[in-house]
Amino acid sequence: MNSRNAIGPADGTGRFGRFGGQFVPETLMPCLRELEAEYLRAQNDPEFQAALAELLADYSGRPTPLYRARRLEKDFGGRARIYLKREDLNHTGAHKINNCLGQGLLAARMGKKRIVAETGAGQHGVASATVAALLGLECTVYMGEVDMERQEPNVRRMLLLGARVVPVSTGCRTLKDATSEAIRDWVANVEGTHYIIGSTVGPHPYPTMVRDFQAVIGQEAHRQIMAAEGRLPDAVVACVGGGSNAIGIFSSFLDDEVALYGVEAGGSDAGHSAALCLGEPGVLHGSFSYLLQDDDGQVLPAHSIAAGLDYPGVGPQHSHLKDTGRVTYTSVTDEQALRAFADLARLEGIIPALESSHALAYARDLAGTSDEGTVIVINLSGRGDKDTAEAGEAAK
Amino acid sequence: MTRLSSLTQRLRREGRKPLVPYLTAGYPDIETFAGVMGAAADAGCPLVEIGIPFSDPVADGPVIQAASQRVLEQGMTLRKTLDLAARASREHNLTVVLMGYLNPLLKMGLAAFADACGEAEVAGVIVPDLPLEESAGLRDLLLARDIDLVDLVAPTTDRKRLTEHAAAAGGFLYLVATTGVTGSTPGTNDHLEDYVARVRRDNPLPLYVGFGIADPSHAARVAACADGAIVGSALIRTIDAAEPGPAAVKAAAGFLTKMNAAMNSGKD
């Protein structure tokens, strides 16, 4: 046995290859069991599925459009046909609501009266606060102080929605530290509280459950591109922080001959958040996955201009897809992302989230070197209203 | 029987209720840390728990988080923690249990870690983010070197899981007193006695209670129903209240002596 992998149960529960697992304090284990069982029941319960489908349609506005960005195509060199999956048009402005509606219904089903959530960019916090308001649940959101400052509009939205926003002042005061604080709250209040993790990270069953709730993105995109082009795309591009929007859109194309690209935050001289490109496998926040860490196994600070990508870990299924080679993981810099942000606003009248701008920036490179008629789908995971101050500051 | 089990069983036979001090490796500095280890031995503590610092300790409250952060900034590592463990064991004849999160152990390699623990005369290892289901590999590696992987159980652990822990665990069973992180509001578990009795029914191991044990009255209450008590955040707060160096060592010695007396009054 390879000593580094001498962890994990023999039956491979909650594993993606060697990644995933349940590395949490004992206090939470019974709760994870309960959550897994309830989730499996909900999946097979037509009533739950109907309730979720109704909310996704009537409350969030799904299906979101697949939009052909013709002016962007021209700017990208004119050879590729570029489609944007408009997750930014969801209620609350990002794909995060897909997961929150699912987990919120699940929390209510389990009789939980309170939800906790972590947030980086604030999009998951806003989506959690929204769903809590909708379902009459109490909501506490942990957010790093640095992020509260740079994503200030979202803090105001959460407060307006009735959530309590708790500033996190430990560590780097960003998403990683907010996640640790949310876990501590959950450990202390596990009986009546459900933790809505915002990405495909954390202990099993979260990476699977969040992926399933986000899979609607890929299911729609698959259908929509077939309708528009009469064939599958050549490539699908999505940004990867924890990786929920990416796994959501990838999941419908994994078995097809479609090139899949996950774009991490390459950051700047100040650092990066490219766990898959530059990290090594390790355990953070409950799962075994690629991780930015030093020689002593201490987690390294991440950096990205996009608060939602500013995280040193990544979802375990992405780690597996990297190792199998099914998905190509790459990164773009803060600067490239900022340029893509401005380009989409100027050319298409769409202000993308800085997170999504990473996917746009890589798609430019991809389109520039592709053959005539190549079809590329970009997951535009969220809108960028929250980023106008940050982008303006960076442009100075 | 492992070294740790021999000790904990012997203490139980003799009716002694060990107070187990927890201190983050090298806190607040190497010298004071070594002094506190000596003070623990002098106060009659047979066992100590040494914390391996980690950047993201999700089971710990603010006091141990801050201690962990501080020693990391001072250059503490897993290797150096093992050196300090070896010193505590050799210089003060203390039985050392290490407590640390999984990632630094994985980074060293679990087999290399187990070897290093053997060389440092570590008797037990506690990994708060390695639940029973994930623990077989490390447990076997440690047991092959006469070291126990000490299991934690919580108030949320049901009877079935308790039975599974009983079958796997060694040394002692660490009872997390409250659902929460270390240094939680003390005395919040009104049902401590019932909880201990419930665990005892399914588990022959000595039961040591930790999380939120802050003063002699808590320690006495634990001693009345369980086999040992673990004190971490309150010890660190005591150290923090004094100047690092001899004053902190003296404060820690006084605190540990009082706690120990509360647990073993009327006994030598």
Side-chain angles (χ1 to χ4, degrees):
Chain A
M1 196 186 332
N2 178 337
S3 65
R4 288 206 174 199
N5 297 326
I7 48 169
D11 65 357
T13 308
R15 286 293 204 278
F16 304 92
R18 62 186 171 130
F19 298 104
Q22 291 179 308
F23 300 96
V24 294
E26 169 68 23
T27 308
L28 294 177
M29 288 302 291
C31 165
L32 290 176
R33 287 293 165 80
E34 181 200 345
L35 179 61
E36 182 182 16
E38 196 60 42
Y39 174 60
L40 290 174
R41 277 194 292 273
Q43 254 190 328
N44 296 310
D45 177 355
E47 238 173 85
F48 179 90
Q49 294 303 331
L52 179 57
E54 188 183 320
L55 286 175
L56 287 172
D58 301 342
Y59 188 69
S60 190
R62 302 204 72 93
T64 59
L66 184 72
Y67 164 71
R68 186 165 169 196
R70 288 187 168 80
R71 274 169 55 81
L72 192 69
E73 279 174 7
K74 223 164 139 192
D75 198 54
F76 280 5
R79 286 197 295 279
R81 291 202 289 278
I82 306 292
Y83 288 86
L84 305 179
K85 179 59 177 162
R86 297 290 307 275
E87 288 301 296
D88 60 313
L89 291 177
N90 271 302
H91 179 45
T92 72
H95 70 291
K96 296 292 187 187
I97 192 79
N98 304 329
N99 170 47
C100 287
L101 285 170
Q103 285 201 50
L105 286 179
L106 202 58
R109 204 182 142 99
M110 290 188 294
K112 307 280 184 182
K113 302 282 181 237
R114 176 175 180 262
I115 58 173
V116 289
E118 83 294 339
T119 198
Q123 289 301 124
H124 175 59
V126 167
S128 297
T130 298
V131 169
L134 176 69
L135 301 176
L137 303 170
E138 196 189 319
C139 178
T140 301
V141 179
Y142 290 88
M143 188 169 192
E145 284 178 341
V146 169
D147 293 338
M148 286 182 72
E149 194 175 325
R150 62 177 161 170
Q151 307 277 239
E152 201 266 336
N154 276 342
V155 176
R156 270 182 287 156
R157 291 168 78 195
M158 285 183 272
L159 294 175
L160 205 56
L161 291 160
R164 194 174 143 237
V165 181
V166 182
V168 176
S169 59
T170 52
C172 312
R173 298 178 291 142
T174 53
L175 181 54
K176 174 190 74 133
D177 311 290
T179 306
S180 294
E181 264 327 292
I183 292 174
R184 290 184 187 112
D185 180 312
W186 191 33
V187 172
N189 301 293
V190 65
E191 296 289 347
T193 297
H194 174 67
Y195 177 22
I196 304 192
I197 296 184
S199 192
T200 52
V201 299
H204 174 71
Y206 282 101
T208 299
M209 189 170 70
V210 177
R211 175 202 63 202
D212 294 350
F213 286 138
Q214 293 294 0
V216 65
I217 306 172
Q219 289 153 9
E220 287 174 8
H222 196 280
R223 204 167 57 231
Q224 290 165 323
I225 197 71
M226 290 302 289
E229 286 285 339
R231 69 171 179 96
L232 288 170
D234 297 290
V236 175
V237 186
C239 66
V240 178
S244 71
N245 89 82
I247 214 76
I249 195 162
F250 290 168
S251 57
S252 288
F253 298 97
L254 284 171
D255 298 330
D256 299 317
E257 275 191 40
V258 175
L260 303 174
Y261 297 92
V263 188
E264 296 192 287
S268 66
D269 292 342
H272 62 84
S273 302
L276 289 161
C277 294
L278 297 166
E280 279 180 83
V283 167
L284 176 69
H285 296 149
S287 66
F288 182 66
S289 196
Y290 279 88
L291 178 65
L292 301 179
Q293 55 181 314
D294 70 12
D295 292 340
D296 191 43
Q298 306 298 335
V299 179
L300 288 171
H303 166 82
S304 171
I305 193 165
L309 304 182
D310 194 343
Y311 183 71
V314 67
Q317 190 173 4
H318 284 294
S319 290
H320 181 56
L321 291 169
K322 171 192 159 82
D323 278 12
T324 62
R326 176 62 189 92
V327 177
T328 303
Y329 293 95
T330 179
S331 70
V332 303
T333 63
D334 286 352
E335 205 181 316
Q336 287 172 286
L338 280 165
R339 205 179 77 197
F341 175 87
D343 287 346
L344 194 71
R346 193 173 34 83
L347 293 168
E348 296 284 352
I350 299 170
I351 301 171
L354 279 173
E355 290 76 14
S356 323
S357 300
H358 286 70
L360 290 162
Y362 184 71
R364 171 185 289 278
D365 291 349
L366 200 61
T369 56
S370 64
D371 299 333
E372 189 69 38
T374 299
V375 174
I376 299 174
V377 173
I378 303 166
N379 198 15
L380 192 66
S381 56
R383 58 190 290 164
D385 306 48
K386 68 188 179 62
D387 296 315
T388 48
E390 175 92 353
E393 196 61 35
K396 278 181 197 164
Chain B
M1 195 179 279
T2 59
R3 254 184 316 143
L4 185 60
S5 287
S6 305
L7 173 67
T8 57
Q9 298 284 358
R10 181 169 60 77
L11 290 168
R12 182 149 79 174
R13 272 198 313 276
E14 293 170 356
R16 285 173 64 195
K17 310 276 182 168
L19 169 72
V20 184
Y22 166 97
L23 190 55
T24 306
Y27 189 82
D29 55 65
I30 302 284
E31 221 165 286
T32 310
F33 175 86
V36 174
M37 291 294 114
D42 294 344
C45 302
L47 272 159
V48 290
E49 216 184 284
I50 297 179
I52 304 164
F54 183 51
S55 50
D56 297 86
V58 292
D60 286 302
V63 174
I64 294 179
Q65 282 177 52
S68 203
Q69 198 53 46
R70 173 150 161 199
V71 301
L72 285 173
E73 281 161 14
Q74 291 167 357
M76 186 49 57
T77 61
L78 175 53
R79 288 270 173 214
K80 290 179 190 169
T81 301
L82 286 156
D83 292 343
L84 291 177
R87 273 185 65 183
S89 170
R90 282 162 202 159
E91 291 173 14
H92 303 295
N93 201 25
L94 287 163
T95 298
V96 176
V97 175
L98 289 180
M99 180 159 185
Y101 293 82
L102 184 58
N103 200 53
L105 281 47
L106 282 177
K107 183 71 184 178
M108 178 179 273
L110 294 183
F113 171 71
D115 281 340
C117 284
E119 283 158 26
E121 295 174 24
V122 166
V125 175
I126 304 170
V127 186
D129 59 348
L130 187 68
L132 187 64
E133 288 79 353
E134 310 271 3
S135 66
L138 178 59
R139 194 185 304 277
D140 292 348
L141 287 166
L142 290 171
L143 274 177
R145 291 151 183 86
D146 193 30
I147 302 165
D148 280 302
L149 183 67
V150 173
D151 285 23
L152 295 117
V153 300
T156 52
T157 308
D158 62 19
R159 186 154 193 187
K160 180 169 172 289
R161 285 181 70 79
L162 280 175
T163 320
E164 289 164 6
H165 277 290
F172 60 88
L173 202 61
Y174 191 136
L175 271 66
V176 176
T178 57
T179 53
V181 292
T182 56
S184 316
T185 325
T188 45
N189 190 351
D190 296 335
H191 311 290
L192 179 70
E193 290 76 12
D194 295 345
Y195 169 41
V196 171
R198 184 166 64 83
V199 177
R200 180 99 64 201
R201 202 165 53 217
D202 294 308
N203 209 303
L205 284 169
L207 308 180
Y208 290 15
V209 178
F211 284 44
I213 312 301
D215 65 29
S217 72
H218 302 140
R221 190 173 162 199
V222 169
C225 62
D227 301 298
I230 299 156
V231 61
S233 296
L235 173 60
I236 291 174
R237 278 196 293 264
T238 304
I239 291 169
D240 287 346
E243 281 292 307
V249 173
K250 194 175 161 209
F255 175 71
L256 294 176
T257 303
K258 254 195 301 186
M259 293 286 279
N260 201 8
M263 296 178 69
N264 294 284
S265 55
K267 293 170 232 150
D268 291 309

